[in-house]
Amino acid sequence: QVQLVESGGGLVQAGGSLRLSCAASGSIFSINAMGWYRQAPGKQRELVATFTGGDSPNYRDSVKGRFTITRVAKTVHLQMNSLKPEDTAVYYCYFQVRTGWGVRPNDYWGQGTQVTISS
């Protein structure tokens, strides 16, 4: 099995910064994708930033220039600057992992961490 442990998050004022981290452990043969999604109250979960193969990450338009996703081995980070009230949501890390050779990849999610931006 694969476990994801998130850290970071919290409450900051608009214009502030936060850093999220997510470490994966367990039976990891290879990682197809990793990244961050978020879900605000009453809304669907949405992509924030991901690595999906290759070195260039993908960002949703509303966070471009403010958020930076980085990865080191089995850990993914999200540096969030110039935060806005509309960034308030529960943030989930995501890994797509193969647990062995020829094994179909599965999706794994972190437990979620609350990010609240006050105006």
Side-chain angles (χ1 to χ4, degrees):
Q1 273 296 349
V2 175
Q3 297 80 40
L4 303 182
V5 178
E6 297 183 25
S7 60
L11 169 65
V12 297
Q13 290 187 329
S17 298
L18 285 172
R19 180 178 174 85
L20 306 181
S21 297
C22 178
S25 62
S27 302
I28 298 173
F29 177 77
S30 65
I31 299 172
N32 286 7
M34 59 171 72
W36 294 91
Y37 286 69
R38 68 187 181 189
Q39 187 166 18
K43 295 188 177 181
Q44 290 189 329
R45 191 171 296 189
E46 61 186 22
L47 180 150
V48 177
T50 61
F51 289 103
T52 55
D55 296 327
S56 297
N58 304 302
Y59 295 94
R60 72 179 300 102
D61 287 346
S62 64
V63 308
K64 286 180 180 177
R66 300 188 298 121
F67 290 12
T68 303
I69 187 173
T70 56
R71 59 184 176 184
V72 178
K74 300 175 187 176
T75 302
V76 63
H77 306 281
L78 185 68
Q79 178 66 42
M80 304 184 292
N81 299 328
S82 302
L83 284 160
K84 304 176 180 180
E86 51 264 42
D87 294 319
T88 295
V90 177
Y91 283 68
Y92 298 90
C93 68
Y94 161 79
F95 277 69
Q96 189 180 80
V97 170
R98 292 183 186 271
T99 56
W101 178 261
V103 176
R104 192 174 117 185
N106 284 318
D107 296 335
Y108 297 88
W109 295 90
Q111 76 275 17
T113 186
Q114 178 69 47
V115 170
T116 303
I117 314 304
S118 63
S119 56

